[in-house]
Amino acid sequence: MLEHPAEPVDQDEYRRLSDLLAVGVAVVSTRSGAHDLAVTVDSYLDVSYDPPTMLVALYGMSRAAEAVEEAGHFCLNLLSAQQHHLADRFGTPASPLQGMLGGLTVRRTADGDAILPGVLAHFAIRVEQAVDAATHRLLIGPVVGMGGGEATAGPALRFAGERRELR
C-alpha cells in the first residue's frame, strides 16, 4: 500500500512516451445529414470476438464524435501503408464537410457509411454505448458488417509520431 499519493504525471513526458506505441492508422466514416464525414483515428480497439465488438475513441468536443453519436453508426476503415495520404487528408482539422470524399470511389455499408477504396479491411459498427474518458468519447458497439480489402501492402502505422512500415 502506498503511503504517499503519487505525483501528477507530466503531460509532455506522457505524450513523448505514449508516442512510442506502434499504432495502426484508420479512418472513421459516417453521415452527417446529407454529407459524408471522415476523420483519421489511431485509437480503436477490437473489444470482443463473441459477439464481435469494437470501439473507437474520438475527441469528445469534435464534430466527428457528435456526428457518429447522432448517426448511431460508423465504418472503421483500416488503412494500408500506401494510404498515408488519406490519413493526412482526413486528419486535417476543420476540413469542410462538402466534398470531403471528392475524387474517391467509395462503396457503402448497409447504413450508408463510406468504405474507402484500397483499405486493408472495414468494419461497420452500430453504436450501443458511449463513454466519456478524459477528453475523449469512447464509442462502442457490435460489428454488423465487415470485409477485407484489396490492399497488397501492410498496415499504415505510426510510431514516435511518424509514418512507419513493417519490415
Side-chain angles (χ1 to χ4, degrees):
M1 179 188 253
L2 293 174
E3 293 184 24
H4 303 286
E7 293 292 318
V9 171
D10 178 85
Q11 289 182 359
D12 292 332
E13 182 67 355
Y14 173 79
R15 180 178 291 238
R16 185 184 74 77
L17 293 174
S18 67
D19 271 349
L20 298 178
L21 293 167
V23 294
V25 182
V27 170
V28 165
S29 66
T30 195
R31 301 282 294 165
S32 181
H35 301 287
D36 287 294
L37 185 137
V39 63
T40 302
V41 297
D42 62 11
S43 296
Y44 57 91
L45 179 65
D46 160 43
V47 174
S48 174
Y49 294 125
D50 184 20
T53 304
M54 298 185 91
L55 76 75
V56 66
L58 296 174
Y59 179 64
M61 300 298 289
S62 70
R63 71 176 176 194
E66 182 180 315
V68 167
E69 275 199 84
E70 188 175 291
H73 50 80
F74 63 95
C75 183
L76 181 66
N77 294 272
L78 304 184
L79 299 181
S80 78
Q82 298 168 336
Q83 295 180 304
H84 281 284
H85 66 284
L86 293 178
D88 294 342
R89 176 177 175 172
F90 299 122
T92 303
S95 297
L97 275 181
Q98 264 188 310
M100 187 171 259
L101 298 179
L104 296 175
T105 303
V106 299
R107 294 180 295 127
R108 300 278 173 183
T109 66
D111 288 320
D113 301 321
I115 302 168
L116 301 179
V119 294
L120 293 174
H122 74 274
F123 300 91
I125 300 161
R126 295 242 172 92
V127 178
E128 284 190 350
Q129 287 181 281
V131 178
D132 289 324
T135 59
H136 282 63
R137 193 87 168 134
L138 306 181
L139 303 164
I140 309 160
V143 174
V144 296
M146 61 189 174
E150 57 280 349
T152 56
L157 297 175
R158 284 192 185 147
F159 176 75
E162 297 179 10
R163 298 174 184 180
R164 298 295 171 120
E165 289 187 29
L166 293 177
R167 296 178 196 217

